Amino acid sequence: MNRYSGKTSTAIIPYPDNKILLIKRNTPPFIGYWALPGGRMDPGETVEQTVIREVREETGLESVVVEVIGDYVEKGNKDNVEYEYYPRCFVVRIVGGELRKQDSEVQEMQLFSLNALPTPLAFEHEKMLEDYVSRQKREP
């Protein structure tokens, strides 16, 4: 059985009209699942540096961290893969770059309304998005 574990980061990238960017994964253990951009930390990186690098690598966009949504745990077994990730979810703002998908990790990218999210969503991303929406409702 393959095993994946470690600290990771994910990015909520808001767009006008209450939309966010999601990617369809092309990597185990969730090939074909919709997800927030993000991934595992490289040695020597902070989790904030990870999210900025992952957004750039997966989408071609340059970003800055706006806020932290929270810390999560993603554990399970799927398709002979055991995973145990500890992601921190961020809201990021795009500051440059050109939207383009990374062929090796991303099948496709698409904007989705927060009111009409696709399924299946990978890992704890549904909970991350619920927390994000909840925070948006509390802000004036």
Side-chain angles (χ1 to χ4, degrees):
M1 177 175 289
N2 291 322
R3 180 166 160 61
Y4 295 93
S5 66
K7 285 189 136 194
T8 64
S9 65
T10 58
I12 295 173
I13 305 172
Y15 280 80
D17 299 325
N18 214 22
K19 292 185 178 181
I20 59 164
L21 180 67
L22 293 177
I23 62 173
K24 188 177 275 188
R25 290 266 170 225
N26 197 32
T27 54
F30 285 96
I31 294 172
Y33 280 67
W34 288 99
L36 297 165
R40 288 183 275 179
M41 290 175 65
D42 282 347
E45 276 186 328
T46 66
V47 72
E48 290 85 359
Q49 291 167 327
T50 299
V51 76
I52 290 167
R53 176 184 51 77
E54 287 286 343
V55 167
R56 181 184 327 106
E57 289 177 0
E58 292 179 346
T59 70
L61 300 171
E62 296 295 332
S63 63
V64 295
V65 171
V66 175
E67 68 177 304
V68 176
I69 296 299
D71 294 300
Y72 299 84
V73 177
E74 305 168 336
K75 295 169 86 169
N77 292 288
K78 182 172 180 350
D79 299 333
N80 203 33
V81 174
E82 181 181 355
Y83 60 91
E84 185 172 350
Y85 292 131
Y86 297 91
R88 177 170 286 171
C89 182
F90 296 93
V91 176
V92 301
R93 180 173 43 88
I94 300 308
V95 295
E98 184 176 319
L99 189 61
R100 60 167 171 68
K101 78 176 184 69
Q102 180 191 52
D103 291 334
S104 63
E105 293 184 19
V106 179
Q107 289 180 8
E108 65 179 286
M109 298 186 301
Q110 191 172 329
L111 291 178
F112 288 95
S113 167
L114 287 170
N115 299 323
L117 294 172
T119 56
L121 282 173
F123 306 119
E124 296 295 321
H125 294 205
E126 186 171 342
K127 175 65 174 140
M128 294 172 188
L129 290 167
E130 287 173 9
D131 291 350
Y132 171 71
V133 168
S134 177
R135 288 173 79 112
Q136 298 302 98
K137 289 179 181 177
R138 289 193 305 252
E139 292 181 3

